[in-house]
Amino acid sequence: MRSIEQLVTEPGDSEETRRYKAHLVIASILVMPAGLIWGSLYFAYGERVAAAIPWSYAVLTLLDLLLLVQLRHHRLFRSVQQVLLLALPFSLHFALGGFVGSSIVIVWSFLTVLMAVLFADAGEARWWFAAFLVELVAAALLAPGLTIRNALPHGLVLLFFILNVSAVSSVAFVVLHSFINDRRRLRELEVAYLGQEMMLRQSEKLATLGTLAAGIAHELNNPASAARRASEQLRETFGRLDELRIRLGKSDLTPSARDALHALEVQTLRDASRLPDADALTRADAEAELEEWLDERGVADGWEIAPALVAQHVDRPALERLAAAMPVDELGAALRWIACIYRANALLREIGESSGRVSTIVASFKSYTQLGHSPLQSIDLHQGIDSTLTVLQSQLSNGIRVEREYGRDVPQLQAYGTELNQVWTNLLTNAIDAAGKDGRIVVRTRREDVWAVVEVEDNGPGIPDAIKARIFDPFFTTKPPGHGTGLGLSISHNIVTQKHRGELRVDSRPGCTRMMVRLPIAGLTA
């Protein structure tokens, strides 16, 4: 069996095809002695013309087998066998005088149809079936005999009748039974594959969620750490403010000194809510000049006071008025009081900004996962993309520049928001990997007739033409082991094309890879 499979195997043959080909060759080998016996019986009972037909079939089959061994061309071998299987029954039908006299041998012609179904395509199988029907009609028209009109005894005709029907029916049963079993096994494999694919997709989603969770944790850690650090510094600042308030409260300040100090406090509270607008070099020069002014008036630790005073834009006339009205030994305490008030308010502003950043990240993540919403909903594509970019912010920290070119005419869509956010995640993650450090990513949206179009473009090296047709195949990836499952684009393609009846295309060349998603504006219905 193994040697016969090697003889008939051609490149690209499946195990099932190799088995069928080997069975055909074995059946042809077994038919040769049967043909010799068959012809000998005809000859023994005086039907010499009829005897020559199965003998000829046995000889021609032997020659066909020798040709197969020489050329290893199974299709040629099979075609010759099909022609012989059409010619043999038809010839015997006429030689023995019709349907009954030939023991309905014409049914052997149906084996040509079975062979075509097993080995040929659908078009060729239809042609062979048509040939069988034509031969059957021709036999009925030309030799319809329903009685025995030959020298064969009635018992032998009946025996061949039973053998012919049984043999052809058995072959048909074996082929059908094998086909059904193969289909059943294929279905079981398909179900197992779908189950495995579903598990892998869930694993891909969990892996993506784990990566996003790590990124979110990193993004939350920065503002949270900043808020904690600011709160600790604020505690120290409030302690110093209490000390300075007690000291200034015990000082015998004149009304003019209190007015000058109050004026600076008002300016401090006003300016503490905004960030310094001067560049670092200008601030450094102003701080150095102010430190010199403080040293001239005997104020200690001027290097600590000067930055706060410069940051709140305290002008020289205001300081001169305060210095003129304030006792010399209390001037330093007053300026430290002003500096501490500014620092306390600046720290409060920093805590507010940090907590605001945390709220923004949490809101973006909630929008990204569509928590609290039904799967099918009216969504804003721009909001979903922005939320995804916020979630991926940790991956964009290596200098990648993201440009948004949103079309104002893109309407809201009825779609599955969570699944689409997964698509944006996969496309943007691939673009981030392709763009590399200091790369550029452009996200565009626009309306084209009945479509809403989203493009994600990066300036990476591009996708080679050799693999461009395979990028949406499951498990295909160009990333090194451990860095990708090959399911991201496959899942995205299914979400866009199957779940949203849209299109996902790729256009790539060195320096520009563009992934285009087209979604129907008409949307989906629940």
Side-chain angles (χ1 to χ4, degrees):
M1 183 70 175
R2 180 69 62 181
S3 60
I4 294 178
E5 285 189 7
Q6 294 175 354
L7 178 66
V8 299
T9 298
E10 296 176 351
D13 283 350
S14 64
E15 182 179 354
E16 178 184 358
T17 302
R18 292 196 302 269
R19 187 173 68 251
Y20 283 154
K21 287 182 176 181
H23 287 166
L24 174 60
V25 174
I26 294 173
S28 301
I29 294 173
L30 295 177
V31 166
M32 287 192 300
L36 295 175
I37 297 173
W38 195 353
S40 298
L41 287 173
Y42 284 160
F43 186 84
Y45 285 99
E47 291 292 337
R48 297 181 179 181
V49 174
I53 295 174
W55 286 346
S56 300
Y57 173 78
V59 172
L60 292 174
T61 298
L62 176 60
L63 294 176
D64 194 22
L65 285 168
L66 294 176
L67 193 64
L68 174 64
V69 174
Q70 185 68 26
L71 300 180
R72 293 180 178 268
H73 198 306
H74 184 269
R75 182 171 183 177
L76 176 62
F77 169 79
R78 188 245 311 165
S79 299
V80 172
Q81 288 298 301
Q82 287 176 280
V83 171
L84 292 177
L85 283 173
L86 280 177
L88 169 68
F90 192 74
S91 302
L92 284 176
H93 180 88
F94 278 93
L96 296 174
F99 288 102
V100 173
S102 66
S103 303
I104 203 168
V105 72
I106 200 72
V107 297
W108 281 90
S109 299
F110 187 70
L111 294 181
T112 61
V113 180
L114 292 179
M115 292 171 64
V117 169
L118 288 176
F119 301 107
D121 55 30
E124 184 179 340
R126 285 193 292 268
W127 282 111
W128 282 107
F129 183 68
F132 165 73
L133 292 179
V134 169
E135 181 177 271
L136 190 63
V137 172
L141 293 176
L142 299 177
L146 299 178
T147 59
I148 301 174
R149 297 178 181 178
N150 51 54
L152 300 177
H154 182 273
L156 185 62
V157 172
L158 179 61
L159 175 63
F160 275 125
F161 188 95
I162 295 173
L163 289 176
N164 289 337
V165 174
S166 300
V168 175
S169 300
S170 298
V171 172
F173 172 77
V174 169
V175 171
L176 183 61
H177 184 268
S178 177
F179 176 78
I180 292 176
N181 282 342
D182 288 340
R183 291 291 298 175
R184 185 180 295 113
R185 286 195 296 268
L186 183 62
R187 179 57 183 168
E188 292 173 355
L189 289 174
E190 183 180 2
V191 172
Y193 171 80
L194 291 176
Q196 188 71 16
E197 184 182 13
M198 185 176 297
M199 291 178 61
L200 287 172
R201 288 189 177 187
Q202 293 297 329
S203 298
E204 173 77 8
K205 291 181 180 180
L206 289 175
T208 301
L209 182 60
T211 302
L212 295 179
I216 290 294
H218 176 74
E219 287 298 306
L220 290 175
N221 181 66
N222 290 334
S225 298
R228 183 185 60 198
R229 183 173 59 253
S231 65
E232 293 174 353
Q233 295 175 356
L234 185 62
R235 187 183 302 110
E236 298 176 0
T237 302
F238 278 141
R240 298 185 64 183
L241 277 173
D242 285 339
E243 295 176 359
L244 293 169
R245 178 179 58 79
I246 294 172
R247 176 176 175 179
L248 291 175
K250 293 180 179 179
S251 300
D252 188 14
L253 299 181
T254 63
S256 60
R258 294 185 182 277
D259 291 341
L261 184 59
H262 179 69
L264 284 179
E265 289 179 1
V266 172
Q267 181 178 348
T268 296
L269 294 175
R270 183 182 67 246
D271 293 338
S273 61
R274 62 176 181 172
L275 295 173
D277 53 3
D279 60 87
L281 184 60
T282 302
R283 288 201 308 271
D285 293 339
E287 289 170 7
E289 183 179 352
L290 186 55
E291 285 182 33
E292 183 179 353
W293 184 87
L294 293 172
D295 290 339
E296 292 175 354
R297 283 152 182 78
V299 177
D301 300 330
W303 59 270
E304 185 179 4
I305 302 173
L309 297 179
V310 170
Q312 58 185 301
H313 307 285
V314 176
D315 54 7
R316 185 63 60 83
L319 290 176
E320 294 290 353
R321 287 194 296 272
L322 180 64
M326 187 69 64
V328 176
D329 55 346
E330 299 298 338
L331 178 60
L335 292 176
R336 289 189 184 89
W337 168 263
I338 297 298
C340 284
I341 291 177
Y342 176 81
R343 182 160 181 77
N345 283 275
L347 290 171
L348 287 174
R349 182 194 67 221
E350 184 177 346
I351 292 174
E353 291 175 350
S354 298
S355 59
R357 175 61 179 165
V358 171
S359 299
T360 300
I361 294 173
V362 172
S364 297
F365 193 67
K366 180 180 180 181
S367 174
Y368 174 82
T369 56
Q370 303 293 326
L371 293 176
H373 298 280
S374 61
L376 184 61
Q377 58 188 285
S378 179
I379 65 166
D380 184 339
L381 290 177
H382 300 156
Q383 182 180 359
I385 296 171
D386 289 339
S387 299
T388 305
L389 286 170
T390 301
V391 171
L392 295 174
Q393 189 62 40
S394 61
Q395 300 182 38
L396 296 169
S397 59
N398 58 349
I400 295 178
R401 186 173 73 259
V402 178
E403 300 177 7
R404 296 172 174 88
E405 299 178 3
Y406 292 163
R408 297 182 178 180
D409 57 345
V410 178
Q412 291 195 341
L413 306 178
Q414 286 291 325
Y416 297 94
T418 303
E419 280 79 359
L420 284 182
N421 284 344
Q422 187 178 2
V423 173
W424 313 142
T425 300
N426 291 331
L427 298 185
L428 287 168
T429 300
N430 287 343
I432 291 170
D433 293 339
K437 186 178 181 181
D438 300 326
R440 174 176 173 266
I441 296 175
V442 181
V443 183
R444 299 187 185 91
T445 64
R446 64 178 180 276
R447 177 172 183 168
E448 289 183 358
D449 296 329
V450 297
W451 299 97
V453 180
V454 178
E455 293 181 354
V456 177
E457 178 184 306
D458 65 77
N459 62 344
I463 303 173
D465 293 337
I467 65 172
K468 192 179 298 183
R470 301 180 57 195
I471 62 173
F472 298 121
D473 292 347
F475 311 111
F476 177 78
T477 179
T478 58
K479 298 178 181 179
H483 290 78
T485 62
L487 288 173
L489 287 180
S490 174
I491 292 174
S492 300
H493 188 268
N494 289 338
I495 291 174
V496 173
T497 60
Q498 297 182 16
K499 199 159 190 177
H500 290 86
R501 301 194 298 272
E503 299 175 358
L504 177 55
R505 304 174 182 173
V506 59
D507 179 24
S508 181
R509 61 182 184 276
C512 181
T513 296
R514 183 182 301 113
M515 305 296 295
M516 179 187 296
V517 176
R518 292 162 61 89
L519 300 169
I521 292 178
L524 307 173
T525 56

